[in-house]
């Protein structure tokens, strides 16, 4: 079968389109899946560039969707022909888990789904939401579950709450949709009039152009009676000061990523202490988070927002498009 592999020295230029051994027949407790789609995330770019170490020859991409083509012995809950989507932390079923057990995330450190077939234990997949295409389902593993964990599991967002989302990447758009479904008021930031209009079309109640409004945190806070209840913080150290300016006293900040860069000059710890803030790190979520999210998507008819698709052989081009920041929603890979 065909696959993309990370080759050292890792870079987008050294991603390799190769013939690799076929995925084996499934053993007990395993299923064999024909992958039809994947999607790309910020972490996939970091793996491909060597920022996150991955073994030479590792198959990247954490998000994959397709159909079951073979079922091993002692498998319950899956049948040939079922549409499935990968899980990010196969060892994390529900609740809390020791971080030492989170060692087999697909796409690094374990093999991912930039390939045509995969044979894995059933914990590596769930059924996909009814009515979604394979490309839509493939957006859920990382971005969808991360947003669900931030908004629902940890944030427990309820009607009347206010939620601030940053930008128009996959996590932020899922968080916008989940928060609106929960009855919250959503404030969204972006950098262009076109993206701001698209955010409003998705349901954002207020939008702020963060390039034009330097103190966008204060602007977001001013749109609420006492400050924002929940901030879905994906920018990292570069955006955190504004996020802390936006959030109300006693509010919740879901600390998710660092798409704005990792350099840290100062961290306003005094603000965190003075406001008695709850900063909650989010590292995707559990299998239970994923199955709960899928039920929520089916109940509310939420559709993932897709930007554009690339062929698997063109994965490097897809990651360059991601790095450009020009996308709105999820970038998909056709397999």
């Amino acid at each position: 079968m065909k696959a993309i592999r990370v080759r050292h020295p890792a870079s987008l230029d050294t991603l390799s389109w190769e013939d690799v051994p076929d995925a084996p027949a499934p053993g007990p407790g395993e299923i064999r899946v024909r992958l039809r789609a994947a999607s790309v995330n910020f972490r996939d770019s970091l793996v491909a560039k060597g920022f996150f170490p991955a073994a030479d020859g590792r198959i990247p991409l954490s998000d994959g969707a397709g159909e079951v083509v073979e079922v091993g012995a002692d498998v319950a809950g899956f049948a040939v022909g079922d549409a499935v989507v990968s899980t990010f932390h196969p060892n994390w079923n529900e609740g809390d888990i020791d971080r030492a057990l989170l060692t087999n995330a697909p796409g690094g450190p374990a093999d991912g789904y930039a390939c045509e077939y995969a044979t894995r234990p059933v914990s590596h997949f769930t059924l996909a939401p009814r009515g979604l295409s394979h490309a839509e389902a493939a957006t859920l593993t990382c971005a969808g579950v991360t947003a669900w964990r931030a908004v629902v599991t940890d944030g427990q967002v309820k009607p009347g709450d206010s939620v601030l989302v940053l930008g128009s990447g996959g996590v932020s758009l899922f968080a916008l949709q989940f928060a609106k479904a929960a009855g919250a008021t959503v404030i969204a930031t972006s950098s262009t009039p076109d993206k701001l209009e698209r955010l409003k079309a998705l349901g954002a109640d207020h939008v702020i152009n963060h390039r034009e409004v330097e103190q966008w945190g204060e602007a977001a806070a001013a749109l609420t009676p006492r400050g924002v209840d929940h901030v879905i913080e994906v920018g990292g150290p570069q955006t955190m000061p504004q996020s802390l300016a936006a959030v109300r006293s006693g509010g919740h900040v879901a600390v998710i990523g660092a798409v704005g860069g990792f350099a840290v000059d100062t961290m306003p710890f005094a603000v965190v202490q003075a406001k008695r803030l709850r900063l909650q790190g989010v590292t995707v979520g559990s299998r239970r988070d994923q199955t709960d999210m899928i039920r929520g998507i089916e109940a509310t008819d939420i559709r993932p927002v897709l930007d554009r698709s690339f062929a698997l052989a063109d994965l490097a081009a897809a990651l360059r498009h991601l790095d450009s920041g020009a996308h709105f929603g999820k970038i998909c890979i056709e397999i």
Side-chain angles (χ1 to χ4, degrees):
M1 68 176 181
K2 288 288 190 179
I4 295 285
R5 280 180 158 169
V6 175
R7 289 301 184 189
H8 292 177
S11 74
L12 297 186
D13 293 328
T14 57
L15 288 173
S16 180
W17 176 240
E18 300 182 12
D19 289 307
V20 301
D22 287 338
E30 295 181 333
I31 56 176
R32 187 170 185 253
V33 175
R34 171 61 167 101
L35 279 305
R36 296 294 184 183
S39 71
V40 298
N41 299 284
F42 183 55
R43 76 179 298 270
D44 298 314
S45 179
L46 297 178
V47 168
K49 295 172 183 175
F51 186 91
F52 287 169
D56 185 61
R58 180 67 66 221
I59 296 173
L61 299 188
S62 60
D63 300 11
E67 69 262 6
V68 178
V69 294
E70 196 173 354
V71 175
D74 303 321
V75 167
F78 295 93
V80 171
D82 282 345
V84 294
V85 58
S86 62
T87 58
F88 191 89
H89 290 304
N91 291 343
W92 186 6
N93 189 48
E94 62 181 326
D96 294 319
I97 189 171
D98 189 328
R99 185 163 179 79
L101 297 177
L102 303 181
T103 58
N104 62 340
D111 276 337
Y113 298 105
C115 55
E116 295 178 316
Y117 290 87
T119 299
R120 306 283 165 82
V122 293
S123 62
H124 290 239
F125 290 94
T126 68
L127 296 177
R130 295 186 302 272
L132 295 195
S133 68
H134 291 307
E136 289 173 318
T139 70
L140 301 176
T141 298
C142 187
V145 175
T146 296
W148 182 269
R149 183 87 186 183
V151 172
V152 180
T153 308
D154 292 334
Q156 298 182 15
V157 172
K158 60 187 182 299
D161 281 358
S162 56
V163 178
L164 173 63
V165 300
L166 311 185
S168 54
V171 171
S172 295
L173 296 189
F174 276 119
L176 188 163
Q177 292 175 287
F178 295 152
K180 288 301 297 180
T185 296
V186 176
I187 305 164
T189 72
S190 195
S191 58
T192 68
D194 175 65
K195 287 184 176 181
L196 294 170
E197 287 301 316
R198 296 180 71 179
L199 288 165
K200 286 195 285 187
L202 274 176
D205 299 278
H206 308 281
V207 294
I208 300 170
N209 189 322
H210 64 75
R211 286 186 178 171
E212 296 180 354
V213 182
E214 184 177 352
Q215 301 300 318
W216 50 265
E218 293 180 5
L223 294 169
T224 70
R226 54 178 182 157
V228 175
D229 296 305
H230 307 271
V231 179
I232 311 304
E233 170 50 67
V234 298
Q238 304 306 307
T239 55
M240 182 65 78
Q242 291 300 313
S243 292
L244 297 183
V247 70
R248 67 167 171 83
S249 179
H252 164 235
V253 180
V255 183
I256 293 169
V259 296
F262 292 92
V264 180
D265 293 326
T266 60
M267 175 64 180
F269 290 107
V271 176
V272 176
Q273 184 180 34
K275 284 189 170 184
R276 299 177 294 105
L277 300 179
R278 177 164 64 97
L279 272 63
Q280 176 70 60
V282 182
T283 53
V284 194
S286 66
R287 181 185 178 86
R288 176 63 180 271
D289 290 321
Q290 181 158 317
T291 56
D292 286 348
M293 175 196 67
I294 287 170
R295 285 198 299 272
I297 288 172
E298 291 177 338
T300 57
D301 293 325
I302 285 173
R303 303 300 292 247
V305 179
L306 306 186
D307 178 74
R308 58 180 291 196
S309 293
F310 292 79
L312 179 57
D314 297 327
L315 176 59
L319 292 173
R320 288 189 175 95
H321 181 53
L322 177 71
D323 290 343
S324 76
H327 60 291
F328 187 94
K330 293 294 291 181
I331 301 164
C332 295
I333 303 297
E334 299 174 357
I335 303 176

